[in-house]
Amino acid sequence: MPTLNDYKGQVPAWCPGCGNYGILKTFKEAFVEMGIEPHQFLIVSGIGQAGKFPHYIRCNTFNGLHGRTLPVATGAKLANHEMLVVAVGGDGDCYGEGGNHLVHSMRRNIGVKLFVHNNQIYGLTKGQASPTSSEGMVTKNQPFGVLSEQFNPMAMAVALDCSFVARGYAGDQEHLKELIKAAVRHKGFSLVDILQPCVTFNKVNTYAWYGQRVYRIEPDYDPEDRLAAFEKALEWGEKIPIGLIYRKHRPAFEERVPVIEGSPLVNRPVFPDAMRERLRTTMEEYY
Amino acid sequence: MLSYIRKTGGYLDYTIKIGGEAGQGIQTIGDTLARVFSRSGYHVFTHQDYMSRVRGGHNFYQIRLSDEPVTASRGKVDILVALDRETVLAHEEELSDIGIIVYDSAAFQEKQDFPQFLDVPLLKIAIESGGGKITVNTVATGTILGMLGLGIDGFIEILSDTLRKKGEDVFNVNRKAAFGGYDFAVRNCPRCSFALSLSGLPLRNMLIGANEAIGLGAIGSGCRFYSAYPMTPSTGIMLYIASKAKEYGVVVEQAEDEIAAINMAIGASFAGVRAMTGTSGGGFALMVEGLSLAAMTETPIVIALAQRPGPATGFPTRTEQAELLFALHAGHGEFPRVIFAPGSPEQAFYLTNKAFDLSQKYQIPVFILTDQYLADSQWTYSGFNLNRLIYRNYRLTEPDLEGVAEYKRHAFTETGISPFAIPGASHHLVVTDSDEHDEEGHLVEDGPTRIRMVQKRLFNKVPLIRDEMAPPLVCGDSAPDIVVTGWGSTFGIMNEAVKTLSLTTKIAMLHFSEIFPFPSNRSFDYVEFLRRAKITVCVEQNASGQFARLMRTETGFEFSGTINRYDGRPFMVEELIGELSAYIERL
């Protein structure tokens, strides 16, 4: 069984008090409790403070480009669908630069678990608005305040019939841990949006701000009721729900690709013994 | 002017052109005829010219057949099949001395009395056979075979192969239509003197296009993942691999955009399978960021870049060779890459295999640069030699890693090549980063590590890669007065032009298909070969002479002349001969 020590990665370069520490700690605990060994999964991350996440854990890592976590993760999952593939990025990464990939990953229902560190601000580039920044928020780069409407990832995910839609909060780690486990166990694409205070640049959405608003979704809530889920997804402001907002049972993309039925592509010989013979037969089609 | 193209009493060399609107079945007629000829042992070259539309407009399909190998299209046409009036207007001038135009006066609502016109009631025969307008193709194909005197058995065999699965009725109607057209031509074409025969030819030839050859080369090289976004003229590669997906175990994913396409391929490759993507210029522009990612993470990838004229959307269905320097310089940062530019489907097949091998061996991106002309051309061969394929697996799997105490994805080695483990295949972790990283793959910012990593990726690998590159192909005179040089798809055209001109001139051809890293001149000093000639001409399908510029950059050699074509159309053999003759006159 793995221990927390097996997950000891590099020393994080995040600001003291960053919400990411809570996510990191909770993630490690969840994986240890699920008995997953570091070599048994892959984290694909993007660029931003969240992009550094896999370096602070011990695991197979592809720290790719800004916004491109999901296509890399999709390719990896299709090459080796028996491996757990996790994607990690920030709000800029997943909702800005990589928006198109998010839409199509939900459509595919590829078995990738996406954890979005959503701090409603750009941290790495030092404090510009993100797609989830609230309308009117003034930054150095948005001196007249954010003019675009705040992006609502939960509502979009429900609208796209995403098979697992959840929101967590870095300040409620006990709750977040269970969400992470549920997302990992889910078959198909999981989106977990994690509210994460940026103590350096976001002076609006602070621990105190979230603390007053965030509430755990009621136990009798039915996440399989899509209309109710849509209503829940629209809740923002005075009250912000955290928990599983929507779930839809549908086959994962990798279960529907006939080519990979049986064994993952990666386990098959690169050059099967009968390769030349088979090619000869295929070449016959050109006569 | 054309007398030197067709030998009198030597070999047989005919050109058939089928023209009409998109949707009239031009491609079906062309493909079927080409297959009948190649199966009969003839050598065939086909090329297509089509507009960016699904219906209407003017398209044509040109077939050249000979009892000698042919590698390009001629300008003169011996049988022009005009499915619409526009075809007559556009191509009447191309008719050879013995040329005949096949048309249907009922469809044209106009009868032509000139002797070179053969009025064939295509639609009437189709209807009498029990088919409708859709069967006109079959009648036309039968008609041409009747004109050529080649017999109809080969055609009936193809109809049987393709149509019986749609039902016996469909086959019978088409069989009748084929015979209808055939018999009509045999009875009513006194001027037809083509007289093809089946004697003295090898049993059969293989007929294949470059896109299919690349697809075949890919599946034959262990490609397991192909992600792309459809874009002319590269789409054929994806369609081909998709048609073999089940049989060869290849996941073919149509990505949401080209950015996703290349990143998916990189993800699959990192996870341990051979992966490829394909696109054209505009799509490749979106892939550029991913190209740089593949380079930094040292993840192998093969990219088929099928060129078409730009900038922007340009001529979507036409040809150009204007992305050589784009492919060469694409991507932020400095990193090694390989560029192949096959000149024929055969070269495309072997170079695709080499592309996979080198990309895996050196963990680098490798390009296969083609263009619309090559992608949509078909050539005949006796067959490909499968024993020439390189089957070497470079990835470390569980047994390779057993007993290894420590694994570092980007370990420093003498060659710069770090052993590449499959993530999840062992207890070792495989870590990489698009940021500069250390041997383990973790993000770093220190200068000394950066220097060693740049040296590893670039300086250690490049000399080794350069040694893998074959020198240009040379043919013709060994001490030529004039050397014609080109790269990629102009191979066949230059080959024919040089062959013809060599009857009267000391001429040779240099053809580069392995372009970058620019091949060393150790085994063949091509620069010296060029220097000794009086005239050196670089032929390119682009406006600015990109290869000539690369040659100057890499070797300091400057061509004495250039022939550039950039109207989106390929050279016909006569056209290139004409252009070269102007240089020869100066000798």
Side-chain angles (χ1 to χ4, degrees), chain A residues 10 39 42 55 58-65 68 71-72 75-76 100-101 104 108 253 259 265-266 269 271 275-276 278-279 282-287, chain B residues 35 39 204 206-207 212 219 224 240 244 247-248 253 256-257 259 263-264 267-268 271 289 382-383 386 389 391-392 424 426-427 430 432-434 442:
Chain A
Q10 302 201 321
H39 71 275
L42 166 68
H55 296 287
R58 286 186 64 256
C59 61
N60 292 300
T61 299
F62 192 101
N63 182 179
L65 298 170
R68 315 301 169 212
V72 171
N100 198 27
H101 310 311
H104 294 278
R108 283 189 189 95
F253 189 74
V259 170
L265 289 180
V266 72
F271 306 114
M275 185 85 141
R276 279 202 176 90
R278 197 187 289 166
L279 267 181
T282 302
M283 223 166 66
E284 273 300 307
E285 292 164 17
Y286 290 95
Y287 286 95
Chain B
R35 186 69 60 200
R39 278 189 181 174
R204 53 180 200 156
M206 171 185 180
L207 176 77
E212 292 156 331
I219 57 175
R224 290 265 179 269
Y240 179 77
K244 301 290 169 203
E247 189 186 347
Y248 283 85
E253 179 58 6
E256 54 269 25
D257 54 36
I259 299 173
N263 278 280
M264 280 182 190
E289 178 198 42
S382 57
L386 301 180
L389 295 181
Y391 282 2
R392 255 194 311 251
S426 73
H427 283 264
V430 186
T432 194
D433 197 335
S434 67
H442 290 298

Coordinates of all heavy atoms in Angstrom, one line a residue, chain A residues 10 39 42 55 58-65 68 71-72 75-76 100-101 104 108 253 259 265-266 269 271 275-276 278-279 282-287, chain B residues 35 39 204 206-207 212 219 224 240 244 247-248 253 256-257 259 263-264 267-268 271 289 382-383 386 389 391-392 424 426-427 430 432-434 442:
Chain A
Q10 N 8.6 17.4 -5.3 CA 9.5 18.6 -5.1 C 8.8 19.6 -4.2 O 7.6 19.6 -4.0 CB 9.9 19.2 -6.5 CG 10.5 18.2 -7.4 CD 11.3 18.8 -8.5 OE1 10.9 19.8 -9.1 NE2 12.4 18.2 -8.8
H39 N 3.3 5.1 -9.8 CA 3.6 4.7 -11.2 C 2.3 4.3 -12.0 O 2.4 4.0 -13.2 CB 4.6 3.6 -11.3 CG 4.1 2.3 -10.8 ND1 4.1 1.9 -9.5 CD2 3.6 1.3 -11.5 CE1 3.6 0.7 -9.3 NE2 3.2 0.3 -10.5
L42 N -1.0 8.8 -14.7 CA -0.3 9.9 -15.4 C -1.1 11.2 -15.1 O -2.3 11.2 -15.2 CB -0.4 9.6 -16.9 CG 0.0 10.7 -17.8 CD1 1.5 11.1 -17.7 CD2 -0.3 10.3 -19.3
H55 N 4.7 18.1 -10.5 CA 6.1 18.1 -10.0 C 6.1 18.0 -8.5 O 7.1 17.6 -7.9 CB 6.8 19.3 -10.4 CG 7.0 19.5 -11.9 ND1 7.8 18.7 -12.6 CD2 6.3 20.3 -12.8 CE1 7.7 19.0 -13.9 NE2 6.8 20.0 -14.0
R58 N 4.7 12.6 -6.7 CA 5.5 11.7 -7.5 C 4.6 10.9 -8.4 O 3.7 10.2 -7.9 CB 6.4 10.8 -6.7 CG 7.6 11.5 -6.0 CD 8.5 10.5 -5.3 NE 9.1 9.6 -6.2 CZ 8.7 8.3 -6.3 NH1 7.8 7.8 -5.6 NH2 9.4 7.5 -7.2
C59 N 4.7 11.1 -9.7 CA 3.8 10.4 -10.6 C 4.4 10.5 -12.0 O 5.3 11.3 -12.3 CB 2.4 10.9 -10.6 SG 2.3 12.6 -11.1
N60 N 3.8 9.7 -13.0 CA 4.2 9.9 -14.4 C 3.6 11.3 -14.7 O 2.5 11.6 -14.4 CB 3.5 8.8 -15.3 CG 4.2 7.5 -15.0 OD1 5.4 7.3 -15.2 ND2 3.3 6.5 -14.6
T61 N 4.4 12.0 -15.4 CA 4.1 13.4 -15.6 C 4.3 13.9 -17.1 O 5.3 13.6 -17.7 CB 4.9 14.3 -14.8 OG1 4.7 14.0 -13.4 CG2 4.6 15.8 -15.0
F62 N 3.3 14.5 -17.6 CA 3.5 15.3 -18.9 C 3.0 16.7 -18.6 O 1.8 17.0 -18.6 CB 2.7 14.6 -20.0 CG 3.1 15.2 -21.4 CD1 3.9 14.5 -22.2 CD2 2.6 16.4 -21.8 CE1 4.3 15.0 -23.4 CE2 3.0 17.0 -23.0 CZ 3.8 16.3 -23.8
N63 N 3.9 17.6 -18.3 CA 3.6 19.0 -18.1 C 3.7 19.7 -19.4 O 4.8 20.0 -19.9 CB 4.6 19.6 -17.0 CG 4.3 21.0 -16.7 OD1 5.0 21.6 -15.8 ND2 3.3 21.6 -17.3
G64 N 2.6 19.8 -20.1 CA 2.6 20.3 -21.5 C 2.4 21.8 -21.6 O 2.9 22.6 -20.9
L65 N 1.6 22.2 -22.6 CA 1.4 23.6 -23.0 C 0.2 24.2 -22.3 O -0.8 23.4 -21.9 CB 1.3 23.7 -24.5 CG 2.5 23.3 -25.3 CD1 2.1 23.2 -26.8 CD2 3.7 24.2 -25.1
R68 N -3.5 22.9 -23.4 CA -3.5 21.7 -24.2 C -3.5 20.4 -23.4 O -3.1 19.4 -23.9 CB -2.3 21.7 -25.2 CG -2.1 23.0 -25.9 CD -3.3 23.4 -26.7 NE -3.2 24.8 -27.2 CZ -4.2 25.7 -27.4 NH1 -5.4 25.3 -27.2 NH2 -4.0 26.9 -27.8
P71 N -6.2 17.5 -24.9 CA -5.8 16.6 -26.0 C -4.7 15.7 -25.7 O -4.7 14.5 -26.2 CB -5.5 17.6 -27.1 CG -5.6 19.0 -26.6 CD -6.3 18.9 -25.2
V72 N -3.7 16.1 -25.0 CA -2.6 15.2 -24.6 C -3.1 14.1 -23.8 O -2.8 12.9 -24.0 CB -1.4 16.0 -23.9 CG1 -0.4 15.0 -23.3 CG2 -0.8 17.0 -24.8
G75 N -5.1 11.6 -25.9 CA -4.2 10.7 -26.7 C -3.6 9.6 -25.8 O -3.5 8.5 -26.2
A76 N -3.1 10.0 -24.6 CA -2.5 9.1 -23.7 C -3.5 8.0 -23.3 O -3.2 6.8 -23.2 CB -2.0 9.8 -22.5
N100 N -12.0 25.1 -26.2 CA -12.5 24.1 -27.3 C -12.3 22.7 -26.9 O -13.2 21.8 -27.1 CB -11.9 24.5 -28.6 CG -12.6 23.9 -29.8 OD1 -13.8 23.7 -29.7 ND2 -11.9 23.6 -30.9
H101 N -11.1 22.4 -26.3 CA -10.8 21.0 -25.9 C -11.7 20.5 -24.8 O -12.1 19.4 -24.8 CB -9.4 20.9 -25.5 CG -8.4 21.5 -26.5 ND1 -8.5 21.3 -27.8 CD2 -7.4 22.4 -26.3 CE1 -7.5 22.0 -28.5 NE2 -6.9 22.7 -27.6
H104 N -15.1 19.5 -26.3 CA -15.1 18.2 -27.0 C -14.7 17.0 -26.2 O -15.1 15.9 -26.5 CB -14.2 18.4 -28.3 CG -14.8 19.3 -29.2 ND1 -15.8 19.0 -30.1 CD2 -14.7 20.7 -29.4 CE1 -16.2 20.0 -30.8 NE2 -15.5 21.1 -30.4
R108 N -16.9 13.7 -26.0 CA -16.4 12.4 -26.2 C -16.7 11.5 -25.0 O -16.8 10.3 -25.1 CB -14.9 12.4 -26.3 CG -14.4 12.9 -27.7 CD -12.9 12.7 -27.8 NE -12.5 13.3 -29.1 CZ -12.0 14.6 -29.2 NH1 -11.9 15.3 -28.1 NH2 -11.8 15.1 -30.4
F253 N -15.7 7.1 -23.7 CA -15.3 7.0 -25.1 C -14.4 5.8 -25.4 O -14.6 5.1 -26.4 CB -14.4 8.3 -25.4 CG -14.1 8.5 -26.8 CD1 -15.1 8.9 -27.7 CD2 -12.8 8.3 -27.3 CE1 -14.8 9.1 -29.1 CE2 -12.5 8.5 -28.6 CZ -13.5 8.9 -29.5
V259 N -11.5 -0.6 -31.8 CA -10.1 -1.0 -32.0 C -9.4 -1.3 -30.7 O -8.5 -2.2 -30.7 CB -9.3 0.2 -32.7 CG1 -7.9 0.0 -32.8 CG2 -9.9 0.4 -34.1
L265 N -3.7 -0.4 -26.7 CA -2.8 -0.3 -27.8 C -1.3 -0.5 -27.4 O -0.5 -1.2 -28.0 CB -2.9 1.1 -28.5 CG -4.2 1.4 -29.3 CD1 -4.1 2.8 -29.8 CD2 -4.4 0.4 -30.4
V266 N -1.0 0.1 -26.2 CA 0.4 0.1 -25.8 C 0.9 -1.3 -25.5 O 2.1 -1.6 -25.5 CB 0.6 1.1 -24.6 CG1 0.0 0.5 -23.3 CG2 2.0 1.4 -24.4
P269 N 2.2 -5.7 -29.6 CA 3.5 -5.6 -30.2 C 3.6 -4.6 -31.3 O 2.6 -4.4 -32.1 CB 3.8 -7.0 -30.8 CG 2.4 -7.7 -30.8 CD 1.6 -7.0 -29.8
F271 N 5.5 -4.5 -33.9 CA 5.5 -5.2 -35.2 C 5.1 -6.7 -35.0 O 5.9 -7.5 -34.7 CB 6.9 -5.2 -35.8 CG 7.5 -3.8 -35.9 CD1 8.6 -3.4 -35.1 CD2 6.9 -2.9 -36.8 CE1 9.1 -2.1 -35.2 CE2 7.5 -1.6 -36.9 CZ 8.5 -1.2 -36.1
M275 N 3.1 -9.2 -39.6 CA 3.0 -7.8 -40.2 C 3.3 -7.8 -41.7 O 2.5 -7.3 -42.4 CB 4.0 -6.9 -39.5 CG 3.9 -5.5 -39.9 SD 2.6 -4.7 -39.0 CE 3.4 -3.1 -38.7
R276 N 4.4 -8.4 -42.1 CA 4.7 -8.4 -43.5 C 3.7 -9.1 -44.3 O 3.4 -8.7 -45.4 CB 6.1 -8.9 -43.7 CG 7.2 -7.9 -43.4 CD 8.5 -8.2 -44.2 NE 9.5 -7.2 -43.9 CZ 10.4 -7.1 -42.9 NH1 10.4 -8.1 -42.0 NH2 11.2 -6.1 -42.8
R278 N 0.6 -9.6 -43.6 CA -0.7 -8.8 -43.7 C -0.5 -7.7 -44.6 O -1.4 -7.4 -45.4 CB -1.0 -8.3 -42.3 CG -2.4 -7.9 -42.1 CD -2.6 -7.2 -40.8 NE -2.6 -8.2 -39.7 CZ -2.5 -7.8 -38.4 NH1 -2.4 -6.5 -38.1 NH2 -2.5 -8.7 -37.4
L279 N 0.6 -7.0 -44.6 CA 0.9 -5.9 -45.5 C 0.8 -6.4 -47.0 O 0.3 -5.7 -47.8 CB 2.3 -5.3 -45.3 CG 2.3 -4.1 -44.3 CD1 3.8 -3.7 -44.2 CD2 1.5 -3.0 -44.8
T282 N -2.6 -6.5 -47.9 CA -3.2 -5.2 -48.1 C -2.7 -4.6 -49.5 O -3.5 -4.0 -50.2 CB -2.8 -4.3 -47.0 OG1 -3.3 -4.9 -45.8 CG2 -3.4 -2.9 -47.1
M283 N -1.5 -4.8 -49.8 CA -0.9 -4.3 -51.0 C -1.6 -4.9 -52.2 O -1.7 -4.2 -53.3 CB 0.6 -4.6 -51.1 CG 1.4 -3.5 -51.6 SD 3.2 -3.8 -51.2 CE 3.6 -5.2 -52.3
E284 N -2.1 -6.1 -52.1 CA -2.9 -6.8 -53.2 C -4.0 -5.9 -53.7 O -4.4 -6.0 -54.8 CB -3.4 -8.1 -52.7 CG -2.4 -9.3 -52.9 CD -2.0 -9.5 -54.3 OE1 -2.9 -9.6 -55.2 OE2 -0.8 -9.5 -54.6
E285 N -4.6 -5.1 -52.7 CA -5.7 -4.3 -53.1 C -5.4 -3.3 -54.1 O -6.3 -2.7 -54.7 CB -6.3 -3.6 -51.8 CG -6.9 -4.5 -50.8 CD -7.1 -3.9 -49.4 OE1 -7.0 -2.7 -49.3 OE2 -7.2 -4.7 -48.5
Y286 N -4.1 -3.0 -54.4 CA -3.7 -2.0 -55.3 C -3.4 -2.6 -56.7 O -3.0 -1.9 -57.6 CB -2.5 -1.2 -54.8 CG -3.0 -0.3 -53.7 CD1 -2.9 -0.8 -52.4 CD2 -3.7 0.8 -54.0 CE1 -3.4 0.0 -51.4 CE2 -4.2 1.6 -53.0 CZ -4.1 1.2 -51.7 OH -4.6 1.9 -50.7
Y287 N -3.7 -3.9 -56.9 CA -3.5 -4.5 -58.2 C -4.8 -4.5 -58.9 O -5.9 -4.5 -58.3 CB -2.9 -5.9 -58.1 CG -1.4 -5.8 -57.7 CD1 -1.0 -5.9 -56.4 CD2 -0.5 -5.7 -58.7 CE1 0.3 -5.9 -56.0 CE2 0.9 -5.6 -58.4 CZ 1.3 -5.7 -57.0 OH 2.6 -5.7 -56.7
Chain B
R35 N -7.3 1.5 -63.3 CA -7.2 0.1 -62.8 C -7.2 -0.9 -63.9 O -6.4 -1.9 -63.8 CB -8.3 -0.1 -61.8 CG -8.2 -1.4 -61.0 CD -7.1 -1.4 -60.0 NE -7.2 -0.4 -59.0 CZ -6.2 0.0 -58.3 NH1 -5.0 -0.5 -58.4 NH2 -6.3 1.0 -57.4
R39 N -3.9 -3.3 -64.4 CA -4.1 -4.8 -64.3 C -3.7 -5.5 -65.5 O -3.3 -6.6 -65.5 CB -5.6 -5.1 -64.0 CG -5.9 -4.9 -62.5 CD -7.3 -5.5 -62.2 NE -7.7 -5.3 -60.8 CZ -8.9 -5.6 -60.4 NH1 -9.8 -6.1 -61.1 NH2 -9.1 -5.4 -59.1
R204 N 0.6 -7.9 -64.5 CA -0.2 -6.8 -63.9 C 0.7 -5.8 -63.2 O 1.8 -6.2 -62.8 CB -1.3 -7.4 -62.9 CG -0.6 -8.2 -61.9 CD -1.6 -8.8 -60.9 NE -0.8 -9.2 -59.7 CZ -1.3 -9.4 -58.5 NH1 -2.5 -9.2 -58.3 NH2 -0.5 -9.7 -57.5
M206 N 0.8 -2.7 -60.1 CA 0.1 -2.1 -58.9 C -0.1 -0.6 -59.2 O 0.8 0.0 -59.8 CB 1.1 -2.3 -57.7 CG 0.7 -1.6 -56.5 SD 2.2 -1.9 -55.4 CE 1.6 -1.0 -54.0
L207 N -1.3 -0.1 -58.9 CA -1.6 1.3 -59.1 C -1.9 2.0 -57.8 O -2.8 1.6 -57.1 CB -2.8 1.5 -60.0 CG -3.3 2.9 -60.3 CD1 -2.5 3.6 -61.3 CD2 -4.8 2.8 -60.8
E212 N -2.3 7.2 -50.3 CA -2.5 5.8 -49.9 C -1.1 5.2 -49.6 O -1.0 4.4 -48.6 CB -3.1 5.0 -51.1 CG -4.5 5.4 -51.3 CD -5.0 5.1 -52.7 OE1 -4.1 5.1 -53.6 OE2 -6.2 4.9 -52.9
I219 N 0.8 2.3 -41.5 CA 0.4 1.1 -40.8 C 1.4 0.0 -40.9 O 1.5 -0.8 -40.0 CB -1.0 0.6 -41.4 CG1 -0.9 0.3 -42.9 CG2 -2.1 1.6 -41.1 CD1 -2.2 -0.3 -43.4
R224 N 0.0 3.4 -34.6 CA -1.2 2.9 -33.8 C -2.2 4.1 -33.5 O -3.2 3.8 -33.0 CB -0.7 2.3 -32.5 CG 0.0 1.1 -32.6 CD -1.0 -0.1 -32.4 NE -0.2 -1.4 -32.5 CZ -0.1 -2.0 -33.6 NH1 -0.6 -1.5 -34.7 NH2 0.6 -3.1 -33.7
Y240 N -7.6 6.7 -45.5 CA -7.0 5.4 -45.8 C -6.7 4.7 -44.5 O -7.1 3.5 -44.3 CB -5.7 5.5 -46.6 CG -5.1 4.2 -46.8 CD1 -5.6 3.4 -47.8 CD2 -4.1 3.7 -46.0 CE1 -5.1 2.1 -48.0 CE2 -3.6 2.4 -46.2 CZ -4.1 1.6 -47.2 OH -3.6 0.3 -47.3
K244 N -8.4 1.1 -42.5 CA -7.6 -0.1 -42.1 C -7.5 -0.1 -40.5 O -6.8 -0.9 -39.9 CB -6.1 0.0 -42.6 CG -6.0 0.0 -44.1 CD -6.4 -1.3 -44.7 CE -6.6 -1.2 -46.2 NZ -7.5 -2.3 -46.7
E247 N -8.4 -3.6 -38.8 CA -7.5 -4.7 -39.2 C -6.1 -4.5 -38.6 O -5.5 -5.5 -38.1 CB -7.4 -4.7 -40.7 CG -6.7 -5.9 -41.2 CD -6.5 -5.8 -42.7 OE1 -7.1 -5.0 -43.4 OE2 -5.6 -6.6 -43.2
Y248 N -5.6 -3.3 -38.6 CA -4.3 -3.0 -38.1 C -4.2 -2.5 -36.6 O -3.1 -2.3 -36.1 CB -3.5 -2.1 -39.0 CG -3.0 -2.8 -40.3 CD1 -3.9 -2.9 -41.4 CD2 -1.7 -3.3 -40.4 CE1 -3.5 -3.6 -42.5 CE2 -1.3 -3.9 -41.5 CZ -2.2 -4.1 -42.6 OH -1.7 -4.7 -43.7
E253 N -8.6 9.3 -34.7 CA -9.5 10.3 -34.1 C -9.5 11.6 -34.8 O -8.5 12.2 -35.1 CB -9.1 10.5 -32.6 CG -9.9 11.5 -31.8 CD -11.4 11.1 -31.7 OE1 -11.8 10.0 -32.2 OE2 -12.2 12.0 -31.3
E256 N -10.9 18.0 -32.7 CA -11.8 19.3 -32.8 C -11.1 20.4 -33.6 O -11.7 21.3 -34.1 CB -12.2 19.8 -31.4 CG -11.1 20.0 -30.4 CD -10.8 18.8 -29.6 OE1 -11.1 17.7 -30.0 OE2 -10.3 19.0 -28.4
D257 N -9.7 20.3 -33.6 CA -9.0 21.3 -34.4 C -7.5 20.7 -34.5 O -7.2 19.7 -33.9 CB -9.0 22.7 -33.8 CG -8.5 22.7 -32.3 OD1 -7.6 21.9 -31.9 OD2 -9.1 23.5 -31.5
I259 N -4.8 21.9 -33.4 CA -4.1 22.0 -32.1 C -4.3 20.7 -31.3 O -3.4 20.1 -30.8 CB -4.5 23.2 -31.3 CG1 -4.3 24.5 -32.1 CG2 -3.8 23.3 -30.0 CD1 -4.9 25.8 -31.5
N263 N -1.6 17.6 -30.4 CA -1.4 17.3 -29.0 C -1.9 15.9 -28.6 O -1.3 15.2 -27.8 CB -2.1 18.4 -28.1 CG -1.2 19.6 -28.0 OD1 -0.3 19.6 -27.2 ND2 -1.5 20.6 -28.8
M264 N -2.9 15.4 -29.3 CA -3.4 14.0 -29.0 C -2.3 13.0 -29.5 O -2.0 12.1 -28.8 CB -4.6 13.8 -29.8 CG -5.9 14.3 -29.2 SD -7.3 13.8 -30.2 CE -8.6 14.8 -29.5
G267 N 0.4 13.0 -27.0 CA 0.0 12.3 -25.8 C 0.0 10.8 -26.0 O 0.5 10.0 -25.1
A268 N -0.4 10.3 -27.2 CA -0.4 8.9 -27.5 C 1.0 8.4 -27.6 O 1.4 7.3 -27.1 CB -1.2 8.6 -28.8
A271 N 2.6 8.1 -24.2 CA 2.1 6.9 -23.5 C 2.6 5.6 -24.1 O 2.4 4.6 -23.5 CB 0.6 6.9 -23.6
E289 N 2.8 25.2 -32.4 CA 3.0 25.2 -30.9 C 3.3 23.8 -30.4 O 4.2 23.6 -29.7 CB 1.8 25.8 -30.2 CG 1.8 25.9 -28.7 CD 0.4 26.1 -28.1 OE1 -0.5 25.5 -28.6 OE2 0.3 26.8 -27.2
S382 N 5.6 -2.6 -60.1 CA 5.4 -4.0 -60.0 C 5.0 -4.4 -58.6 O 4.3 -5.4 -58.4 CB 6.6 -4.8 -60.5 OG 7.7 -4.4 -59.8
G383 N 5.5 -3.6 -57.7 CA 5.1 -3.8 -56.2 C 6.1 -3.1 -55.4 O 7.1 -2.6 -55.8
L386 N 8.7 -5.1 -49.4 CA 8.4 -5.0 -48.0 C 9.6 -5.4 -47.1 O 9.7 -5.1 -46.0 CB 7.2 -5.9 -47.6 CG 5.9 -5.6 -48.3 CD1 4.8 -6.5 -47.9 CD2 5.5 -4.2 -48.1
L389 N 11.5 -2.5 -45.4 CA 11.0 -1.8 -44.3 C 11.8 -2.0 -43.0 O 12.3 -3.1 -42.8 CB 9.5 -2.2 -44.0 CG 8.5 -1.9 -45.1 CD1 7.1 -2.4 -44.7 CD2 8.5 -0.4 -45.4
Y391 N 12.1 -2.4 -39.2 CA 11.2 -2.8 -38.1 C 12.1 -2.8 -36.8 O 12.7 -3.8 -36.5 CB 10.7 -4.2 -38.3 CG 9.5 -4.3 -39.3 CD1 9.0 -3.2 -39.9 CD2 8.9 -5.6 -39.5 CE1 7.9 -3.3 -40.8 CE2 7.8 -5.7 -40.4 CZ 7.4 -4.5 -41.0 OH 6.3 -4.7 -41.9
R392 N 12.2 -1.7 -36.2 CA 13.0 -1.6 -35.0 C 12.2 -0.9 -33.9 O 11.8 0.2 -34.1 CB 14.3 -0.9 -35.2 CG 15.6 -1.8 -35.4 CD 16.8 -1.0 -35.3 NE 16.8 0.2 -36.2 CZ 17.6 0.3 -37.3 NH1 18.4 -0.7 -37.6 NH2 17.5 1.3 -38.0
G424 N 3.9 3.7 -16.8 CA 3.0 2.7 -16.2 C 3.5 1.3 -16.5 O 3.0 0.3 -15.9
S426 N 6.4 0.1 -15.7 CA 7.3 -0.4 -14.6 C 7.1 0.6 -13.4 O 6.3 1.5 -13.5 CB 8.7 -0.3 -15.0 OG 9.2 1.0 -15.1
H427 N 7.8 0.3 -12.3 CA 7.7 1.2 -11.1 C 8.4 2.6 -11.4 O 8.2 3.5 -10.6 CB 8.3 0.5 -9.9 CG 7.3 -0.5 -9.3 ND1 6.4 -0.2 -8.3 CD2 7.1 -1.8 -9.7 CE1 5.7 -1.3 -8.1 NE2 6.1 -2.2 -8.9
V430 N 7.9 8.2 -15.5 CA 8.3 8.9 -16.7 C 7.8 10.3 -16.6 O 6.6 10.5 -16.6 CB 7.8 8.1 -17.9 CG1 8.3 8.8 -19.2 CG2 8.1 6.6 -17.9
T432 N 8.1 14.4 -17.9 CA 8.6 15.3 -18.9 C 7.9 16.7 -18.7 O 6.9 16.7 -18.1 CB 8.5 14.8 -20.3 OG1 9.3 15.6 -21.2 CG2 7.1 14.9 -20.8
D433 N 8.5 17.7 -19.3 CA 8.0 19.0 -19.1 C 8.2 19.9 -20.3 O 9.3 19.8 -21.0 CB 8.7 19.7 -17.9 CG 7.9 20.9 -17.4 OD1 7.2 21.5 -18.1 OD2 8.0 21.2 -16.2
S434 N 7.3 20.7 -20.7 CA 7.5 21.7 -21.7 C 8.3 22.8 -21.3 O 8.9 23.6 -22.1 CB 6.1 22.2 -22.2 OG 5.5 23.0 -21.2
H442 N 12.0 17.2 -14.5 CA 11.4 18.3 -13.6 C 11.9 19.6 -14.1 O 13.0 19.8 -14.5 CB 11.7 18.0 -12.1 CG 11.0 16.8 -11.6 ND1 9.6 16.8 -11.5 CD2 11.4 15.7 -11.1 CE1 9.3 15.6 -11.0 NE2 10.3 14.9 -10.7

